[in-house]
Amino acid sequence: MATLTKTNRRDFLKIAGTTAGGLFIGFNWMSCESPKMEVLSNEEVLANARNFNAFLSIAPSGDIVIYSPNPELGQNIKTSFPMVVAEELDADWNKVRVVQANLDTEKYERQLTGGSGAMPHSWERLRKAGATAKYLLVAAAAEKWQVPAKELVTSEGIISHKASGKKIGYGEVANDAALLTAPEEIALKDKKDFKIIGTPVKNVDNASIHTGKPLFGLDFFREGMLHAMVQRAPFGMKIKSIDDTEAKNVAGVKDVVTFENSVAVIGTSTWPLMKAKKLLKVEYEPAGKVESSADHDQIFKDLLANGKAEIKREDGNVNSAFKNAAQVVTAEYQCPFLSHSPMEPMNFFAHVQGNKAELIGPTQTPERARDKAAELLGIPPENITVEITRLGGGFGRRLHTDYVAEAVQISNLVNAPVKLTWSREDDLTGGAYRPAVRYRFEAALDADGNMTGYKLRGVGMNAGNSTREHNFPSGAVDNLLIENVNYESSITTNAWRAPITNFLAYAEQSFLDEVALAAKKDPVEFRLQLMEKAKTNPVGGELQYNVDRMIGVTKMAAEKSNWGKNPNVKQGFSVYFSHRTYVAQVADIEMENGSPALKKIHVVTDCGMVVNPTGANHQVRGGVVDGMGHAMYGNLTFEAGLPTQTNFDKYRLIRMKEVPTVDTYYVDSGYDPTGLGEPCLPPTGGAIANAIFSATERRLRSQPFIEQKEFQDLNLGIKRV
């Protein structure tokens, strides 16, 4: 049994309630120093749901309300967080109701969705919230029956005393529990005793989604609000002149306002605003770099060859290793800018009233949104409330607050509540893309095919550090040099699902296959040899990844996919560590009528304990589909500061019929849960590209695959559309 010690009694503040009340347990998920307990009726809990955060509420009926603080964008956190609380509480899941919490920085730490860090960060906090509530409920029952608490057992919201046969529901002792003192130490369950965690649980919002309930930001409506849409400047340009005469004459348009480098049309609904935007006559002039994709290609070439690089890591003597190499392998890999393209375009509601403001909408970073609004308005952050709606996808785009800032500024300018909506064209052309990156890899091999030297130079467009210098194969090569060059582009970028590793993993894993081929070694065995070296004799100090976990997923993936055992199946392997999690993938290609067809992708994941297998499988398969789709089809190009692709007729996404079978497996490594929202995307492109090479001997070094000459007569068994 696990135990969290030194729990301060102030963690739980008990307030006596009325006879109609229930037990309210507030829990500070930040420091575990100031959670609160109050007695509230079930009606009071539901009526004031938005006013409480980070708590567990038990009504006299035995119904339980659990608030989930982190934004839900499809990663299933709104289901898995309450599962952890309910597990330690020994709750009846059928009586659990889940409510999305609003922003509250006093009660929550890391109230955001990004970096696949929600569950690792909150795991113990969630467990402690449930376990402490159960302790108090059991203590109340023991006092009521005048029996030792250790003689009582709990299950599905019922407390039982075996010796006397007595049973009582949580709701019946909620008031008494509120009067008791919280413990200094709280015991947590042994994982082998879990009954809810580890079982498949459906998404708590399923019924509402299926029946069209207003969950998403686009659903939000308030009587009397205005609508707004924005015309934004091309990248690297600024407004020179505006003629809004025709736009203002459209029925339903109330106003046209200019702020920063944008023009907003305001009206009664979005349809007239879309028409009015097209009638705006805005003339622009250069305000910096006005770039096209042709410029980027030359910039990449120049910076790879001569750019001043920052050395991110250097082990051994790289020059000597390459000078004495029996063989040198060199390759370049490149990826384009990409849009996040969530199903729900950007939108947000803002109501600015003097020195206060109300914000409602889909954001991955509610605190950042609030602070940006406070900065723009010059008012204290505590004067701003943020209500989080369910997000129709995010993938990092909603970490950015540009669309929230627009809504705030427009509301402030027109002195009215405003709902800002982006069209799909706005979403694709509005910036904050995945950075374009080009890599050059070099490997030195000795006469026995051992990799004695490794060099990587990354050049990124507004990518910051386009490398992950401490990831594998760092630590496994005696002589290693990793360099980074960042180019400051006028095209705005942002974190895109599995930042940097979403492409770096493909490039690294494809290149390692090239090196294995040159070394005349099996690709899986080649990697395992490197991992064993990192394990037994790591280079450059302590490893920043767990090599045993990486070996574990590698071996299981080879086993589950029958690696190399079927001559009629051509396979590609890829393994990667990101966001605390280890994922290995094998792509299977079979020949059909003389053409290669992608049939299956085997995925082995070590994300520690799997809280909800249903949600986990959705995350894994979703990551694979996302990784495959963007590797094969996604591309965003520019001409004179404007994206060439403005809607899905030109910006290609993967179709349902193009998705192969995805088999999922999990390594039971004994670790607490680690990230799962992002880690399964990075290895996918490499596994597919390596399988294509195995089947065709054509090496794909740039994305999207579909636009490379090596792919022109291939379709992987999918009819082109």
Side-chain angles (χ1 to χ4, degrees):
M1 178 177 287
T3 301
L4 288 178
T5 60
K6 299 184 179 178
T7 303
N8 194 296
R9 292 179 188 270
R10 291 177 298 170
D11 282 356
F12 290 87
L13 174 65
K14 291 145 312 282
I15 300 176
T18 65
T19 57
L23 173 64
F24 170 88
I25 297 178
F27 186 75
N28 187 313
W29 313 51
M30 176 173 140
S31 62
C32 304
E33 286 297 324
S34 58
K36 300 177 181 179
M37 177 184 294
E38 298 177 324
V39 177
L40 302 172
S41 70
N42 187 44
E43 292 77 13
E44 286 173 323
V45 171
L46 295 176
N48 297 289
R50 291 182 183 171
N51 296 329
F52 298 92
N53 296 277
F55 68 77
L56 159 66
S57 175
I58 304 174
S61 63
D63 290 318
I64 298 167
V65 176
I66 299 175
Y67 274 59
S68 184
N70 289 48
E72 171 62 65
L73 53 75
Q75 83 282 33
N76 210 48
I77 205 71
K78 192 176 174 183
T79 302
S80 56
F81 264 23
M83 285 177 66
V84 178
V85 177
E87 177 65 69
E88 290 289 351
L89 180 62
D90 276 338
D92 179 356
W93 182 255
N94 292 319
K95 289 192 172 184
V96 170
R97 288 173 291 181
V98 181
V99 176
Q100 175 68 59
N102 296 332
L103 175 67
D104 191 325
T105 53
E106 292 186 2
K107 292 182 178 178
Y108 301 116
E109 181 186 65
R110 202 188 182 280
Q111 195 178 358
L112 62 88
T113 292
S116 298
M119 184 58 73
H121 176 269
S122 298
W123 172 247
E124 284 196 346
R125 292 168 172 83
L126 295 165
R127 296 182 68 190
K128 183 179 177 181
T132 305
K134 182 176 70 175
Y135 175 94
L136 295 171
L137 292 163
V138 169
E143 187 172 310
K144 183 181 184 70
W145 292 333
Q146 291 297 294
V147 297
K150 65 182 180 180
E151 294 182 5
L152 305 184
V153 295
T154 55
S155 178
E156 297 186 343
I158 301 295
I159 304 169
S160 303
H161 184 233
K162 187 176 180 180
S164 65
K166 292 180 179 179
K167 293 184 178 182
I168 196 168
Y170 284 174
E172 298 175 76
V173 292
N175 287 336
D176 293 335
L179 303 176
L180 301 178
T181 302
E184 290 287 347
E185 298 183 359
I186 190 67
L188 301 179
K189 281 186 179 180
D190 191 306
K191 294 177 183 179
K192 67 178 176 57
D193 296 325
F194 285 169
K195 297 177 181 178
I196 296 175
I197 292 174
T199 62
V201 175
K202 294 179 181 178
N203 189 308
V204 295
D205 281 339
N206 273 356
S208 296
I209 293 171
H210 294 161
T211 55
K213 295 294 192 300
L215 289 170
F216 300 92
L218 280 178
D219 297 324
F220 178 79
F221 172 81
R222 177 172 292 172
E223 193 69 39
M225 74 180 186
L226 295 175
H227 292 264
M229 300 190 82
V230 174
Q231 174 67 48
R232 300 165 189 85
F235 298 104
M237 304 191 83
K238 64 180 181 180
I239 296 172
K240 182 178 181 181
S241 65
I242 303 170
D243 181 351
D244 59 13
T245 306
E246 292 185 51
K248 284 184 173 180
N249 288 332
V250 174
V253 172
K254 297 290 188 181
D255 202 355
V256 177
V257 298
T258 302
F259 62 98
E260 294 184 345
N261 203 26
S262 299
V263 183
V265 288
I266 299 98
T268 55
S269 66
T270 55
W271 180 242
L273 302 186
M274 294 176 78
K275 292 192 289 185
K277 268 184 65 180
K278 294 178 181 178
L279 296 174
L280 287 170
K281 294 181 173 64
V282 185
E283 186 180 355
Y284 298 99
E285 60 184 358
K289 304 170 185 175
V290 181
E291 301 169 359
S292 300
S293 291
D295 303 321
H296 297 154
D297 186 62
Q298 188 58 51
I299 290 167
F300 276 134
K301 290 177 181 177
D302 293 344
L303 293 180
L304 269 181
N306 304 306
K308 184 177 180 181
E310 175 188 8
I311 296 177
K312 304 301 296 184
R313 177 166 178 159
E314 187 171 14
D315 296 330
N317 190 327
V318 174
N319 290 335
S320 176
F322 277 85
K323 181 180 179 181
N324 297 316
Q327 186 178 179
V328 172
V329 183
T330 303
E332 292 185 9
Y333 286 78
Q334 182 174 331
C335 72
F337 288 98
L338 287 180
S339 167
H340 298 75
S341 296
M343 183 71 74
E344 177 191 25
M346 302 303 106
N347 66 90
F348 224 80
F349 171 86
H351 190 189
V352 179
Q353 296 176 283
N355 70 340
K356 63 180 182 178
E358 178 186 16
L359 305 180
I360 301 173
T363 172
Q364 292 179 238
T365 52
E367 184 177 0
R368 185 182 297 174
R370 182 201 65 179
D371 291 349
K372 181 62 177 179
E375 176 190 337
L376 289 168
L377 299 172
I379 64 176
E382 56 267 26
N383 288 11
I384 300 173
T385 61
V386 182
E387 180 180 334
I388 308 163
T389 63
R390 188 179 175 98
L391 288 64
F395 313 113
R397 180 60 181 88
R398 287 185 165 98
L399 294 169
H400 217 45
T401 60
D402 53 335
Y403 62 104
V404 181
E406 289 179 343
V408 168
Q409 290 174 93
I410 295 168
S411 175
N412 193 42
L413 284 169
V414 302
N415 193 29
V418 170
K419 180 179 179 181
L420 171 74
T421 304
W422 289 33
S423 67
R424 179 57 63 191
E425 287 80 3
D426 293 332
D427 203 61
L428 273 163
T429 61
Y433 307 114
R434 180 188 79 171
V437 181
R438 186 177 290 181
Y439 295 110
R440 185 177 66 214
F441 295 88
E442 298 174 72
L445 295 172
D446 64 17
D448 295 322
N450 299 308
M451 188 161 68
T452 58
Y454 181 87
K455 289 195 287 186
L456 166 62
R457 170 175 280 216
V459 177
M461 302 272 176
N462 288 341
N465 178 17
S466 60
T467 75
R468 291 294 180 265
E469 62 271 16
H470 300 302
N471 280 10
F472 179 82
S474 293
V477 186
D478 289 330
N479 307 288
L480 176 141
L481 176 64
I482 297 179
E483 300 175 309
N484 177 67
V485 181
N486 184 57
Y487 172 76
E488 294 186 4
S489 170
S490 60
I491 296 170
T492 57
T493 62
N494 190 36
W496 192 96
R497 191 176 187 179
I500 302 301
T501 62
N502 56 61
F503 178 73
L504 177 59
Y506 152 71
E508 284 183 340
Q509 290 298 305
S510 294
F511 180 67
L512 286 178
D513 257 42
E514 294 198 55
V515 180
L517 178 66
K520 295 181 173 57
K521 294 181 179 181
D522 174 82
V524 172
E525 286 302 318
F526 178 71
R527 289 171 174 82
L528 286 172
Q529 288 173 10
L530 288 171
M531 293 175 202
E532 287 295 339
K533 177 176 174 55
K535 179 179 179 179
T536 58
N537 189 23
V539 180
E542 185 177 355
L543 296 176
Q544 294 192 21
Y545 55 92
N546 187 316
V547 70
D548 284 326
R549 296 178 74 180
M550 183 170 278
I551 290 171
V553 295
T554 297
K555 289 184 175 180
M556 183 181 283
E559 174 196 343
K560 296 297 184 182
S561 66
N562 291 316
W563 174 261
K565 294 181 179 179
N566 187 344
N568 296 320
V569 178
K570 304 301 180 183
Q571 296 180 302
F573 178 82
S574 180
V575 61
Y576 210 73
F577 157 68
S578 68
H579 299 87
R580 309 172 186 85
T581 291
Y582 301 79
V583 182
Q585 297 184 17
V586 175
D588 287 354
I589 286 180
E590 298 178 24
M591 302 303 292
E592 290 185 346
N593 300 319
S595 297
L598 179 61
K599 292 293 188 178
K600 182 180 290 188
I601 298 179
H602 311 262
V603 187
V604 176
T605 303
D606 181 351
C607 58
M609 171 161 284
V610 175
V611 174
N612 183 1
T614 297
N617 284 335
H618 291 165
Q619 287 289 77
V620 171
R621 292 184 175 123
V624 169
V625 172
D626 208 6
M628 175 183 173
H630 287 95
M632 289 191 63
Y633 306 115
N635 192 13
L636 195 65
T637 59
F638 295 84
E639 186 64 41
L642 287 170
T644 306
Q645 298 79 13
T646 59
N647 210 318
F648 291 150
D649 58 336
K650 294 181 180 177
Y651 188 78
R652 178 78 156 83
L653 295 177
I654 192 169
R655 272 78 161 174
M656 289 289 289
K657 65 181 179 180
E658 295 165 342
V659 178
T661 299
V662 180
D663 286 349
T664 60
Y665 307 92
Y666 300 90
V667 175
D668 184 7
S669 60
Y671 287 86
D672 288 344
T674 54
L676 194 54
E678 292 159 289
C680 291
L681 184 152
T684 304
I688 294 172
N690 290 336
I692 290 172
F693 180 83
S694 179
T696 67
E697 295 191 355
R698 302 181 192 184
R699 184 69 66 183
L700 293 163
R701 295 194 180 95
S702 293
Q703 294 180 359
F705 298 164
I706 198 171
E707 295 184 15
Q708 309 311 311
K709 66 181 187 301
E710 294 87 355
F711 197 87
Q712 289 307 300
D713 60 337
L714 304 178
N715 59 32
L716 298 190
I718 301 165
K719 184 178 179 181
R720 289 185 185 269
V721 288

